[in-house]
Amino acid sequence: MSSWKITREKLLLGASDANLNFEGVCTMLRHLGFSERHRRGSHHIFYKEGVAEIINIQPRGGEGKPYQMKQIRQILLKYSLTGE
């Protein structure tokens, strides 16, 4: 199983929101069809046609912030964006 799929599974399970690798989450979003807007500092902004929400995330020590991982999970589930 590829690394972005492993990240997706961990994110969807919700058991390790505080321990998800930030770059892995960014890679997963790109594989799911999200585009990244210009970065401002540490902020990474992702968007996707057909998805009303914009994902704005930033790393904390190489990992994603737990509340931002929860927001991403809610968006993926809401729009059935599981990559299958």
Side-chain angles (χ1 to χ4, degrees), residues 16-62:
S16 60
D17 286 348
N19 298 318
L20 287 171
N21 178 277
F22 182 79
E23 286 303 320
V25 172
C26 291
T27 300
M28 176 200 66
L29 289 171
R30 289 186 203 101
H31 275 281
L32 293 174
F34 284 85
S35 299
E36 188 172 4
R37 285 190 185 159
H38 234 71
R39 289 188 219 164
R40 276 221 171 237
S42 63
H43 290 255
H44 295 249
I45 301 170
F46 291 90
Y47 66 96
K48 179 179 172 81
E49 189 173 322
V51 176
E53 296 85 356
I54 292 174
I55 298 173
N56 181 358
I57 57 177
Q58 66 236 37
R60 179 175 61 190

